[in-house]
Amino acid sequence: MTDIRWGILATGGIAHAFTADLRTAGLDVAAVGSRRIEAARAFAEQYDIPHAHGSYDELVADPDVDIVYVASPHSHHLEHATLALEAGKHVLIEKAVTLDADEARALRDLAAARGLLVMEAMWTRYLPHMVRIREIVAAGTLGEVRIVSADHTQRLPSDPSHRLNALELGGGALLDLGIYPVSFAVDILGPIATARAVGRLAETGADTEVAIAAEHAGGAVSSLAVSSRAAGPNTAHLVGTEARIDIDRVWYTPTSFRVIAHDGTVIEEYTSEVDGRGMQFEALYAEHLIREGRTDSDLLPFDESITIMATLDDIRAQLGVVYPKER
């Protein structure tokens, strides 16, 4: 156990995955909160958590909690992260961090006023193979990186009532899946200057397929594809003037990659060796920041999360996806 104690807000699938990895890493999970006490108790029993709360208000008020992991749907991230921040807790918020950029700005300002950490749980940024890829890019091994391509394509439930297809819950492939390749492209190439998007919408108005062609601030380009109705290769590539990196499936999880020179020579091969799913790395980084008294991540500054949300807002507008709160 460590000196920083976690509270888990909500008990859905992503909360299970995250908490399992916290346990794998030996981190201290002090409490869980749900809208139903039965769900909280079952979750607490499964992961040996001492405190189970039947409301989110009780969770954030728990004196044994230092940081809250917000695992509710996108549509409730602003509300629930605000609840935690106003209770004096640091927050790690599941991606996408909010429904839109304005909500993200509100959280940034509140966290700054309270002197608390607010961080988007884009776990891919913190994985060892991504750390190594950034080192290779920074060393100039690829030369000038001119193209990034990536897909995040899965066959997920098409039931109109499913969270992914429900606009009132922030449903759609873009925020649930597209955030991964968009954030990755921004990480490697910098902010997106212009993005052109086309897509397909479900009967609920949520997006199911999106293709994005983007130009980044430095002139490089990215090509990104997303689907919630069809499973693709889920690979990614960085193409530079001297070499490229081919990241194997599933690129946004612990995986392998190769650095290949322009003449076909393999310069480096990397294979991830990670216990669990790999979500513990973002948690460990959050704990590192808290111990140092820092309130922002240098691997994913919150202003960058806001910039990414603004890009997603623009793409949604091009697709014609409108959330109920925007009507």
Side-chain angles (χ1 to χ4, degrees):
M1 296 296 183
T2 63
D3 57 320
I4 294 172
R5 301 160 300 178
W6 287 84
I8 309 299
L9 189 152
T11 56
I14 197 67
H16 279 273
F18 181 77
T19 305
D21 279 351
L22 292 188
R23 285 305 192 208
T24 295
L27 303 188
D28 190 346
V29 187
V32 58
S34 173
R35 293 170 298 179
R36 296 186 305 110
I37 187 60
E38 296 83 6
R41 286 172 178 161
F43 194 98
E45 182 177 357
Q46 182 173 350
Y47 297 105
D48 192 24
I49 299 171
H51 303 298
H53 299 291
S55 76
Y56 299 144
D57 292 272
E58 292 177 12
L59 172 71
V60 301
D62 191 325
D64 289 339
V65 171
D66 302 303
I67 179 169
V68 172
Y69 170 64
V70 176
S72 50
H74 316 312
S75 54
H76 291 73
H77 285 181
L78 174 63
E79 175 191 352
H80 295 153
T82 297
L83 198 67
L85 289 168
E86 289 182 341
K89 313 298 186 184
H90 304 285
V91 288
L92 177 66
I93 310 167
E94 185 51 42
K95 54 82 206 151
V97 69
T98 50
L99 271 184
D100 58 34
D102 285 341
E103 290 188 352
R105 292 185 188 99
L107 289 180
R108 175 197 60 193
D109 295 346
L110 176 59
R114 298 299 177 99
L116 295 166
L117 173 71
V118 60
M119 178 174 148
E120 181 178 16
M122 175 45 70
W123 61 296
T124 301
R125 289 264 182 133
Y126 300 88
L127 292 174
H129 75 291
M130 287 297 175
V131 173
R132 179 59 188 144
I133 285 169
R134 285 193 293 268
E135 291 172 348
I136 292 167
V137 171
T141 305
L142 305 187
E144 179 191 358
V145 182
R146 300 182 68 87
I147 301 172
V148 165
S149 62
D151 80 291
H152 188 173
T153 47
Q154 298 189 43
R155 185 174 178 179
L156 299 174
S158 58
D159 180 354
S161 65
H162 189 276
R163 174 190 64 81
L164 191 70
N165 304 307
L167 282 181
E168 64 273 16
L169 297 177
L174 185 65
L175 255 61
D176 208 84
L177 308 179
I179 181 73
Y180 283 92
V182 170
S183 184
F184 174 57
V186 170
D187 187 22
I188 300 301
L189 300 177
I192 291 175
T194 59
R196 298 171 181 85
V198 294
R200 171 185 281 181
L201 305 187
E203 61 275 15
T204 63
D207 53 286
T208 58
E209 277 82 32
V210 187
I212 304 163
E215 181 181 5
H216 294 254
V221 298
S222 60
S223 175
L224 314 171
V226 184
S227 177
S228 61
R229 298 289 175 90
N234 288 302
T235 56
H237 307 273
L238 291 71
V239 182
T241 54
E242 300 300 323
R244 74 178 192 269
I245 295 177
D246 293 340
I247 312 176
D248 296 323
R249 71 183 316 274
V250 174
W251 67 267
Y252 51 85
T253 69
T255 188
S256 53
F257 68 79
R258 288 162 306 288
V259 185
I260 303 171
H262 61 81
D263 64 359
T265 303
V266 176
I267 301 170
E268 178 177 334
E269 294 188 67
Y270 181 100
T271 300
S272 295
E273 296 181 2
V274 170
D275 292 331
R277 191 174 188 229
M279 301 184 83
Q280 65 268 33
F281 294 102
E282 62 183 355
L284 289 164
Y285 204 86
E287 290 197 0
H288 163 72
L289 294 171
I290 292 169
R291 289 191 189 96
E292 291 198 340
R294 296 162 62 190
T295 57
D296 201 7
S297 168
D298 50 356
L299 291 187
L300 179 53
F302 204 75
D303 277 344
E304 187 167 304
S305 291
I306 294 171
T307 298
I308 291 167
M309 289 310 305
T311 295
L312 297 180
D313 290 348
D314 175 49
I315 292 169
R316 277 198 305 110
Q318 293 181 49
L319 300 175
V321 175
V322 180
Y323 296 135
K325 76 162 197 165
E326 298 170 320
R327 293 186 182 130

